[in-house]
Structures are given as C-alpha cells and as structure tokens.
Amino acid sequence: SKSPMKAAILWFTLCAAASAFVQCGPSAVTPRRVLATKAKSDKDPITAEEVRATVKAWTEGIIDIGKVFLAKKDYKATAEKMILNSYAFDSVPKGSKLLFKPTLANERNFRHDLDEFLSYFVGDGVYSEDGGFAIKPWTKIRFDIYGIYIPDGGKTATVSGCYWFTPHADPDTEVKVEYTFGMLRTAFPAGKLKMYLHHSSLPFSPN
C-alpha cells in the first residue's frame, strides 16, 4: 500500500497531467473542452470575422471616450489609448503616412499624426475647427458592412459600410456616416489588426 505522502504526490501529478482535459479537485471531475487557440502573427491571413470585430471595437472605443468625458475623468488619456489601439502608428513604413479623413473636417481634411487624431476626437486645440467628435458624446453606435475586400494572401483588408451615431443629448435621433477602413496586421503587438486608412463622410444631400 502507498503511504499518504506518496498517494498525495501521485494525485497532484495525475491532476497536472490531465489538467487540459479534466478539472481536478475533490468536488469537480467533469471533463471540459479545451479550445486550441493559436496567437495570430503578422504573417497570418486576415479574416472577415476579424475585420468585423475591428469595426465593432472602434465603435465601442468612441462610446468609451464619451462615457469617461461625462464622468469628468481623463477622457484624453482614454482617447489616446483607443487611437493607439486602433490605428497602425507602429507599422507605417518609412516615407508613408496613416490616411485619416475625418467626417467633420474642412480646413484640415486629412490627418496622419497622433496630435491631429487627438485634436479631432477630443478637441485639444491643435486645430480650431475640431470640437471633439468623441466627446459629443455618443451613447450608441450601430453599423453595417457593405463589403469586405481581402486580397490573396490576406496581408491587408478593406471594409466599407455605414454607421449610425446616437447623441447623448438627443437619444431619439441618429447621425448616419459612411466609412471605409483599410487594415493590416501589426508587428507589435504581433498580429493585431489595426487601421492604416480611415475615411468617413456624411451621405450626399441634394439640399
């Protein structure tokens, strides 16, 4: 017969060996499914599901900035984090620029550096025309996708569609905006999908 100490060692050894399949313990021996998830690298082809998730994450980031603004907390820090998490500043080749055409910009129609992005989203004073798009604020953003284009090899992706913004001050209305995003995988963090192109505009109005 085995000593209590040897039996305990054997028990924990078996638990460790089977931990990927069985939840060990005195009260739980139910087999559990193991999800084999492989971390994405910058070499993996982009998928349509990731593109949709990236669009959704952008809308959620805009709403989060507004929530922090309403709470009178550091919304500029929240905006900077969202911008760096969404746009490929860390993956722009030498001699190239990020391409950002904001919805509500007239004097500075295109933006490419972090200060210009922040100016548009939170109105920090870089350009006088910027009132802070994300601190409108918006309480809801829904979107659709017209189409996704992923070239052979999946190194980049382009998506177009519309989103509808609901302002905090007028929850019964929506502002429709058309968008096109160009995305790529970044080297750091490895494999993350970020935007190198963002074009937004209001629909044409004949009046």
Side-chain angles (χ1 to χ4, degrees):
S1 61
K2 298 181 178 65
S3 68
M5 179 62 73
K6 289 183 177 179
I9 292 173
L10 179 60
W11 169 253
F12 286 112
T13 301
L14 290 172
C15 284
S19 61
F21 304 98
V22 178
Q23 181 181 351
C24 296
S27 62
V29 292
T30 305
R32 60 186 175 90
R33 182 185 176 194
V34 176
L35 299 177
T37 57
K38 178 187 175 184
K40 296 289 186 181
S41 77
D42 58 341
K43 307 299 182 184
D44 290 326
I46 295 170
T47 67
E49 291 77 12
E50 291 177 292
V51 171
R52 175 174 288 275
T54 302
V55 176
K56 185 174 186 291
W58 184 89
T59 66
E60 292 170 346
I62 295 296
I63 292 172
D64 286 343
I65 295 168
K67 288 179 179 178
V68 176
F69 172 76
L70 289 172
K72 298 182 179 180
K73 295 183 179 180
D74 193 351
Y75 62 91
K76 290 185 179 181
T78 302
E80 182 170 345
K81 182 178 179 180
M82 174 269 187
I83 291 167
L84 293 175
N85 193 51
S86 301
Y87 297 92
F89 286 96
D90 52 0
S91 301
V92 180
K94 186 176 180 180
S96 298
K97 294 179 178 179
L98 288 185
L99 304 175
F100 179 32
K101 164 57 182 73
T103 311
L104 304 177
N106 181 42
E107 297 173 10
R108 296 283 182 171
N109 303 84
F110 298 92
R111 315 291 176 90
H112 74 274
D113 66 30
L114 180 58
D115 287 341
E116 291 177 318
F117 277 62
L118 280 168
S119 180
Y120 179 72
F121 284 117
V122 297
D124 69 352
V126 174
Y127 299 129
S128 59
E129 70 172 326
D130 293 335
F133 179 82
I135 59 174
K136 172 78 175 173
W138 312 97
T139 54
K140 180 181 177 183
I141 307 172
R142 62 184 182 92
F143 69 93
D144 71 5
I145 290 178
Y146 168 73
I148 297 172
Y149 176 70
I150 302 176
D152 289 344
K155 294 181 180 298
T156 63
T158 309
V159 56
S160 290
C162 293
Y163 30 46
W164 292 262
F165 296 82
T166 299
H168 173 75
D170 193 357
D172 294 326
T173 65
E174 287 184 321
V175 178
K176 182 180 180 181
V177 177
E178 302 157 340
Y179 71 87
T180 295
F181 293 156
M183 303 176 186
L184 52 75
R185 288 204 191 282
T186 58
F188 181 81
K192 181 173 176 58
L193 213 59
K194 293 186 180 182
M195 292 182 279
Y196 65 88
L197 164 68
H198 176 177
H199 183 287
S200 294
S201 58
L202 296 171
F204 169 72
S205 175
N207 298 321

